[in-house]
Amino acid sequence: MVARVKSALRRYTLYNGENTSNNIIEINGLVIDKDKHKCLLYEKEIDFTPMEFEILLYLAENRGKVIPSEELFEKVWKEKYLDSNNTVMVHIRRIREKLNEDTKHPKFIKTVWGVGYKIENE
């Protein structure tokens, strides 16, 4: 009951008050605030490095779309992707750890084998 009230209050302030812009993304208890560069998971703040935050934000902004590792690397690092680069994979693993995701059944970031990563539409 308390969680529902908090959620209703958060939505009220989101749509009627301080956050009138579209710079907040909500996905199943995960709230990403682009303006404040903050991320909340079930109302608890998660500390991400700037690169981790940018990866999560890019995936969230492209929900439902599979993002290849190459595209993710080039958009976030703004450099050309090299063939055997594991940088994206390592950062995704760290993000999942911070989100307390089950590696076999992730709730947020899904791996599409041989293609890339995606966040499902709610």
Side-chain angles (χ1 to χ4, degrees):
M1 179 72 156
V2 173
R4 287 184 180 178
V5 171
K6 285 182 180 181
S7 178
L9 287 171
R10 186 179 66 247
R11 282 192 304 274
Y12 175 80
T13 56
L14 172 66
Y15 297 116
N16 298 315
E18 60 197 46
N19 297 315
T20 56
S21 65
N22 290 334
N23 290 330
I24 293 183
I25 300 171
E26 288 189 64
I27 307 165
N28 300 327
L30 178 67
V31 178
I32 303 168
D33 187 333
K34 292 192 269 185
D35 291 337
K36 295 180 182 175
H37 217 266
K38 288 188 178 184
C39 189
L40 301 172
L41 180 60
Y42 305 116
E43 316 230 353
K44 182 181 176 189
E45 189 170 344
I46 308 251
D47 292 322
F48 288 112
T49 66
M51 288 300 182
E52 292 168 348
F53 184 84
E54 290 300 320
I55 291 169
L56 185 61
L57 179 62
Y58 190 77
L59 290 170
E61 289 176 332
N62 293 284
R63 272 182 290 189
K65 178 182 173 192
V66 179
I67 308 295
S69 297
E70 296 86 359
E71 177 183 338
L72 200 51
F73 184 87
E74 289 174 5
K75 294 291 182 181
V76 173
W77 278 268
K78 297 178 182 18
E79 295 178 13
K80 185 72 178 146
Y81 182 82
L82 302 175
D83 281 336
S84 62
N85 194 331
N86 290 328
T87 305
V88 173
M89 183 179 63
V90 171
H91 278 77
I92 293 288
R93 181 176 46 88
R94 288 183 187 153
I95 293 168
R96 285 178 172 158
E97 286 173 2
K98 291 179 180 182
L99 293 174
N100 297 318
E101 291 215 285
D102 177 9
T103 54
K104 294 185 182 187
H105 305 289
K107 182 177 179 181
F108 298 106
I109 301 173
K110 312 275 187 195
T111 301
V112 180
W113 294 106
V115 183
Y117 302 96
K118 72 177 181 174
I119 292 180
E120 297 281 350
N121 283 326
E122 299 174 54

